[in-house]
Amino acid sequence: MAAELNGQTPGMDVLSAIRSKRDTRAFTDRSVPDDVLGRVLDAARMAGSAKNRQPVRLIVVTDPEVIEALKGPCDFAAWIHGAPVVVVGCVERSDSIRLQFDLGRHLQNLMLAAHAEGLATCPVTVQRVADVSPILDIPETHEALMYIPLGYRAAGGEAPPAIASPRLSMDEYVSYGSFGG
Ligand SMILES: Cc1cc2nc3c(=O)[nH]c(=O)nc-3n(C[C@H](O)[C@H](O)[C@H](O)COP(=O)(O)O)c2cc1C
């Protein structure tokens, strides 16, 4: 039986999850159990936000026709019909990038929790934000900026090694005291 930690059953540890997560765009037909999805959504919910304003709302979409319609506002979403679930990330309309940062925190929590639960994900950018609102009845106060399709990984769902995205070296990525210093 898994060890208990502060009343929680630990999944993959955080550093392992961060290091091993690869964005994945192909999924099996297996549906996502409600309890698994619930834990993933709860991990997103627990993200902090500036002044605890909590401007983020998530919409869970499982209807294949609606998932198909969600491709329209995006330029790089031709593959999302393969996902059994698409989580749509909405945030209060604002000129402040702090709210977009909040949405990013929520969705990164969601993706890491999904990974720890054995689910694959990949963020999708909405290029034509206004076009999502009528599909999902999103009120004027909020806008959908990103989707997170999720499901169980199909073989070959990640970018092949030849085009997989390498990361910057630590020397390129981090400088000390000044930019490039
Ligand atoms: C903000 C953001 C937007 C992204 N938008 C898309 C997208 O619209 N469509 C897509 O297929 N992948 C999208 N991606 C996935 C990136 O292509 C992926 O994170 C990157 O290539 C690293 O992939 P890796 O996990 O294979 O290293 C997005 C990622 C981020 C962080």
Side-chain angles (χ1 to χ4, degrees):
M1 201 167 90
E4 293 282 320
L5 180 69
N6 295 331
Q8 304 288 327
T9 303
M12 189 185 292
D13 76 74
V14 173
L15 286 180
S16 300
I18 291 168
R19 284 180 173 279
S20 62
K21 201 265 185 234
R22 293 293 314 282
D23 289 340
T24 302
R25 300 176 180 84
F27 309 90
T28 68
D29 292 342
R30 188 175 160 198
S31 58
V32 179
D34 288 347
D35 61 324
V36 173
L37 183 60
R39 286 193 293 274
V40 167
L41 295 170
D42 196 48
R45 182 179 69 91
M46 291 309 294
S49 56
K51 298 182 179 170
N52 200 29
R53 181 167 164 168
Q54 305 185 66
V56 173
R57 298 291 186 276
L58 303 181
I59 304 172
V60 176
V61 180
T62 56
D63 181 332
E65 282 184 22
V66 180
I67 291 176
E68 195 62 36
L70 288 174
K71 291 181 185 179
C74 305
D75 288 342
F76 304 104
W79 50 270
I80 66 170
H81 59 273
V85 179
V86 174
V87 177
V88 176
C90 304
V91 68
E92 281 177 30
R93 280 183 196 277
S94 169
D95 292 333
S96 169
I97 64 157
R98 280 179 300 142
L99 273 62
Q100 295 176 17
F101 182 83
D102 292 339
L103 178 62
R105 289 189 74 191
H106 283 247
L107 297 184
Q108 182 71 359
N109 271 15
L110 186 149
M111 289 190 287
L112 288 175
H115 182 47
E117 294 279 357
L119 291 165
T121 57
C122 177
V124 172
T125 308
V126 177
Q127 273 79 19
R128 290 166 291 283
V129 170
D131 292 354
V132 185
S133 299
I135 300 172
L136 300 174
D137 294 330
I138 298 169
E140 282 289 308
T141 49
H142 287 72
E143 57 190 358
L145 302 184
M146 299 291 300
Y147 309 154
I148 309 292
L150 62 92
Y152 291 95
R153 171 189 178 278
E158 301 85 13
I163 59 165
S165 319
R167 302 301 191 251
L168 297 174
S169 70
M170 282 293 279
D171 284 347
E172 292 169 302
Y173 182 62
V174 182
S175 52
Y176 294 87
S178 63
F179 193 99

PDB file of all heavy atoms in Angstrom, residues 79-97:
ATOM      1  N   TRP A  79      -4.931  18.315 -33.812  1.00  0.00           N
ATOM      2  CA  TRP A  79      -4.850  16.985 -33.202  1.00  0.00           C
ATOM      3  C   TRP A  79      -5.768  16.819 -31.991  1.00  0.00           C
ATOM      4  O   TRP A  79      -5.870  15.708 -31.448  1.00  0.00           O
ATOM      5  CB  TRP A  79      -3.404  16.712 -32.772  1.00  0.00           C
ATOM      6  CG  TRP A  79      -2.811  17.845 -31.971  1.00  0.00           C
ATOM      7  CD1 TRP A  79      -2.131  18.938 -32.460  1.00  0.00           C
ATOM      8  CD2 TRP A  79      -2.881  18.029 -30.560  1.00  0.00           C
ATOM      9  NE1 TRP A  79      -1.789  19.791 -31.437  1.00  0.00           N
ATOM     10  CE2 TRP A  79      -2.231  19.250 -30.260  1.00  0.00           C
ATOM     11  CE3 TRP A  79      -3.428  17.285 -29.514  1.00  0.00           C
ATOM     12  CZ2 TRP A  79      -2.106  19.741 -28.954  1.00  0.00           C
ATOM     13  CZ3 TRP A  79      -3.310  17.776 -28.212  1.00  0.00           C
ATOM     14  CH2 TRP A  79      -2.646  18.993 -27.953  1.00  0.00           C
ATOM     15  N   ILE A  80      -6.463  17.859 -31.536  1.00  0.00           N
ATOM     16  CA  ILE A  80      -7.098  17.772 -30.207  1.00  0.00           C
ATOM     17  C   ILE A  80      -8.309  16.850 -30.155  1.00  0.00           C
ATOM     18  O   ILE A  80      -8.744  16.462 -29.064  1.00  0.00           O
ATOM     19  CB  ILE A  80      -7.455  19.162 -29.623  1.00  0.00           C
ATOM     20  CG1 ILE A  80      -8.547  19.857 -30.444  1.00  0.00           C
ATOM     21  CG2 ILE A  80      -6.221  20.037 -29.488  1.00  0.00           C
ATOM     22  CD1 ILE A  80      -9.084  21.130 -29.748  1.00  0.00           C
ATOM     23  N   HIS A  81      -8.873  16.471 -31.327  1.00  0.00           N
ATOM     24  CA  HIS A  81     -10.030  15.553 -31.313  1.00  0.00           C
ATOM     25  C   HIS A  81      -9.635  14.183 -30.740  1.00  0.00           C
ATOM     26  O   HIS A  81     -10.501  13.405 -30.357  1.00  0.00           O
ATOM     27  CB  HIS A  81     -10.588  15.374 -32.723  1.00  0.00           C
ATOM     28  CG  HIS A  81      -9.577  14.838 -33.677  1.00  0.00           C
ATOM     29  ND1 HIS A  81      -8.714  15.645 -34.373  1.00  0.00           N
ATOM     30  CD2 HIS A  81      -9.261  13.570 -34.008  1.00  0.00           C
ATOM     31  CE1 HIS A  81      -7.918  14.898 -35.111  1.00  0.00           C
ATOM     32  NE2 HIS A  81      -8.229  13.625 -34.899  1.00  0.00           N
ATOM     33  N   GLY A  82      -8.338  13.900 -30.680  1.00  0.00           N
ATOM     34  CA  GLY A  82      -7.897  12.623 -30.127  1.00  0.00           C
ATOM     35  C   GLY A  82      -7.961  12.563 -28.611  1.00  0.00           C
ATOM     36  O   GLY A  82      -7.846  11.481 -28.020  1.00  0.00           O
ATOM     37  N   ALA A  83      -8.157  13.689 -27.968  1.00  0.00           N
ATOM     38  CA  ALA A  83      -8.168  13.722 -26.493  1.00  0.00           C
ATOM     39  C   ALA A  83      -9.586  13.478 -25.978  1.00  0.00           C
ATOM     40  O   ALA A  83     -10.537  14.092 -26.472  1.00  0.00           O
ATOM     41  CB  ALA A  83      -7.661  15.075 -26.002  1.00  0.00           C
ATOM     42  N   PRO A  84      -9.746  12.614 -24.964  1.00  0.00           N
ATOM     43  CA  PRO A  84     -11.087  12.401 -24.407  1.00  0.00           C
ATOM     44  C   PRO A  84     -11.605  13.597 -23.618  1.00  0.00           C
ATOM     45  O   PRO A  84     -12.813  13.750 -23.445  1.00  0.00           O
ATOM     46  CB  PRO A  84     -10.913  11.181 -23.502  1.00  0.00           C
ATOM     47  CG  PRO A  84      -9.458  11.112 -23.189  1.00  0.00           C
ATOM     48  CD  PRO A  84      -8.741  11.729 -24.352  1.00  0.00           C
ATOM     49  N   VAL A  85     -10.680  14.430 -23.141  1.00  0.00           N
ATOM     50  CA  VAL A  85     -11.055  15.605 -22.341  1.00  0.00           C
ATOM     51  C   VAL A  85     -10.233  16.798 -22.824  1.00  0.00           C
ATOM     52  O   VAL A  85      -9.024  16.669 -23.051  1.00  0.00           O
ATOM     53  CB  VAL A  85     -10.735  15.388 -20.835  1.00  0.00           C
ATOM     54  CG1 VAL A  85     -11.099  16.633 -20.018  1.00  0.00           C
ATOM     55  CG2 VAL A  85     -11.443  14.153 -20.290  1.00  0.00           C
ATOM     56  N   VAL A  86     -10.892  17.925 -22.987  1.00  0.00           N
ATOM     57  CA  VAL A  86     -10.160  19.181 -23.198  1.00  0.00           C
ATOM     58  C   VAL A  86     -10.572  20.137 -22.083  1.00  0.00           C
ATOM     59  O   VAL A  86     -11.768  20.428 -21.918  1.00  0.00           O
ATOM     60  CB  VAL A  86     -10.458  19.801 -24.579  1.00  0.00           C
ATOM     61  CG1 VAL A  86      -9.797  21.178 -24.707  1.00  0.00           C
ATOM     62  CG2 VAL A  86      -9.971  18.876 -25.696  1.00  0.00           C
ATOM     63  N   VAL A  87      -9.589  20.580 -21.320  1.00  0.00           N
ATOM     64  CA  VAL A  87      -9.850  21.583 -20.282  1.00  0.00           C
ATOM     65  C   VAL A  87      -9.552  22.952 -20.886  1.00  0.00           C
ATOM     66  O   VAL A  87      -8.449  23.180 -21.408  1.00  0.00           O
ATOM     67  CB  VAL A  87      -8.976  21.342 -19.032  1.00  0.00           C
ATOM     68  CG1 VAL A  87      -9.225  22.441 -17.992  1.00  0.00           C
ATOM     69  CG2 VAL A  87      -9.247  19.961 -18.444  1.00  0.00           C
ATOM     70  N   VAL A  88     -10.531  23.821 -20.819  1.00  0.00           N
ATOM     71  CA  VAL A  88     -10.382  25.171 -21.379  1.00  0.00           C
ATOM     72  C   VAL A  88     -10.084  26.129 -20.226  1.00  0.00           C
ATOM     73  O   VAL A  88     -10.852  26.214 -19.259  1.00  0.00           O
ATOM     74  CB  VAL A  88     -11.657  25.588 -22.138  1.00  0.00           C
ATOM     75  CG1 VAL A  88     -11.550  27.026 -22.634  1.00  0.00           C
ATOM     76  CG2 VAL A  88     -11.900  24.621 -23.294  1.00  0.00           C
ATOM     77  N   GLY A  89      -8.964  26.823 -20.339  1.00  0.00           N
ATOM     78  CA  GLY A  89      -8.522  27.742 -19.294  1.00  0.00           C
ATOM     79  C   GLY A  89      -9.033  29.143 -19.558  1.00  0.00           C
ATOM     80  O   GLY A  89      -8.671  29.768 -20.554  1.00  0.00           O
ATOM     81  N   CYS A  90      -9.883  29.634 -18.671  1.00  0.00           N
ATOM     82  CA  CYS A  90     -10.456  30.980 -18.803  1.00  0.00           C
ATOM     83  C   CYS A  90      -9.909  31.859 -17.680  1.00  0.00           C
ATOM     84  O   CYS A  90      -9.638  31.374 -16.576  1.00  0.00           O
ATOM     85  CB  CYS A  90     -11.974  30.945 -18.659  1.00  0.00           C
ATOM     86  SG  CYS A  90     -12.792  29.827 -19.803  1.00  0.00           S
ATOM     87  N   VAL A  91      -9.795  33.140 -17.980  1.00  0.00           N
ATOM     88  CA  VAL A  91      -9.332  34.085 -16.971  1.00  0.00           C
ATOM     89  C   VAL A  91     -10.116  35.373 -17.134  1.00  0.00           C
ATOM     90  O   VAL A  91     -10.631  35.659 -18.230  1.00  0.00           O
ATOM     91  CB  VAL A  91      -7.799  34.292 -17.104  1.00  0.00           C
ATOM     92  CG1 VAL A  91      -7.427  35.007 -18.388  1.00  0.00           C
ATOM     93  CG2 VAL A  91      -7.224  34.988 -15.885  1.00  0.00           C
ATOM     94  N   GLU A  92     -10.241  36.135 -16.051  1.00  0.00           N
ATOM     95  CA  GLU A  92     -10.927  37.426 -16.149  1.00  0.00           C
ATOM     96  C   GLU A  92     -10.256  38.279 -17.213  1.00  0.00           C
ATOM     97  O   GLU A  92      -9.032  38.298 -17.307  1.00  0.00           O
ATOM     98  CB  GLU A  92     -10.837  38.180 -14.806  1.00  0.00           C
ATOM     99  CG  GLU A  92     -11.797  37.706 -13.761  1.00  0.00           C
ATOM    100  CD  GLU A  92     -11.577  38.452 -12.441  1.00  0.00           C
ATOM    101  OE1 GLU A  92     -11.148  39.623 -12.459  1.00  0.00           O
ATOM    102  OE2 GLU A  92     -11.801  37.822 -11.399  1.00  0.00           O
ATOM    103  N   ARG A  93     -11.045  38.998 -17.971  1.00  0.00           N
ATOM    104  CA  ARG A  93     -10.487  39.933 -18.951  1.00  0.00           C
ATOM    105  C   ARG A  93      -9.743  41.040 -18.213  1.00  0.00           C
ATOM    106  O   ARG A  93     -10.276  41.623 -17.271  1.00  0.00           O
ATOM    107  CB  ARG A  93     -11.593  40.587 -19.759  1.00  0.00           C
ATOM    108  CG  ARG A  93     -12.131  39.747 -20.845  1.00  0.00           C
ATOM    109  CD  ARG A  93     -13.174  40.524 -21.641  1.00  0.00           C
ATOM    110  NE  ARG A  93     -13.936  39.601 -22.436  1.00  0.00           N
ATOM    111  CZ  ARG A  93     -13.539  39.140 -23.626  1.00  0.00           C
ATOM    112  NH1 ARG A  93     -12.399  39.571 -24.132  1.00  0.00           N
ATOM    113  NH2 ARG A  93     -14.274  38.283 -24.285  1.00  0.00           N
ATOM    114  N   SER A  94      -8.540  41.328 -18.673  1.00  0.00           N
ATOM    115  CA  SER A  94      -7.736  42.361 -18.013  1.00  0.00           C
ATOM    116  C   SER A  94      -6.555  42.686 -18.891  1.00  0.00           C
ATOM    117  O   SER A  94      -6.095  41.837 -19.664  1.00  0.00           O
ATOM    118  CB  SER A  94      -7.237  41.834 -16.661  1.00  0.00           C
ATOM    119  OG  SER A  94      -6.263  42.693 -16.131  1.00  0.00           O
ATOM    120  N   ASP A  95      -6.030  43.920 -18.758  1.00  0.00           N
ATOM    121  CA  ASP A  95      -4.789  44.255 -19.449  1.00  0.00           C
ATOM    122  C   ASP A  95      -3.583  43.809 -18.635  1.00  0.00           C
ATOM    123  O   ASP A  95      -2.451  43.889 -19.103  1.00  0.00           O
ATOM    124  CB  ASP A  95      -4.693  45.778 -19.681  1.00  0.00           C
ATOM    125  CG  ASP A  95      -5.738  46.239 -20.681  1.00  0.00           C
ATOM    126  OD1 ASP A  95      -6.135  45.408 -21.524  1.00  0.00           O
ATOM    127  OD2 ASP A  95      -6.159  47.406 -20.600  1.00  0.00           O
ATOM    128  N   SER A  96      -3.829  43.362 -17.431  1.00  0.00           N
ATOM    129  CA  SER A  96      -2.715  43.005 -16.557  1.00  0.00           C
ATOM    130  C   SER A  96      -2.189  41.612 -16.892  1.00  0.00           C
ATOM    131  O   SER A  96      -2.950  40.642 -16.923  1.00  0.00           O
ATOM    132  CB  SER A  96      -3.173  43.021 -15.089  1.00  0.00           C
ATOM    133  OG  SER A  96      -2.169  42.428 -14.288  1.00  0.00           O
ATOM    134  N   ILE A  97      -0.892  41.532 -17.121  1.00  0.00           N
ATOM    135  CA  ILE A  97      -0.317  40.212 -17.404  1.00  0.00           C
ATOM    136  C   ILE A  97      -0.272  39.348 -16.156  1.00  0.00           C
ATOM    137  O   ILE A  97      -0.046  38.152 -16.242  1.00  0.00           O
ATOM    138  CB  ILE A  97       1.094  40.290 -18.031  1.00  0.00           C
ATOM    139  CG1 ILE A  97       2.079  40.929 -17.049  1.00  0.00           C
ATOM    140  CG2 ILE A  97       1.066  41.006 -19.364  1.00  0.00           C
ATOM    141  CD1 ILE A  97       3.503  40.546 -17.341  1.00  0.00           C
TER     142      ILE A  97
END
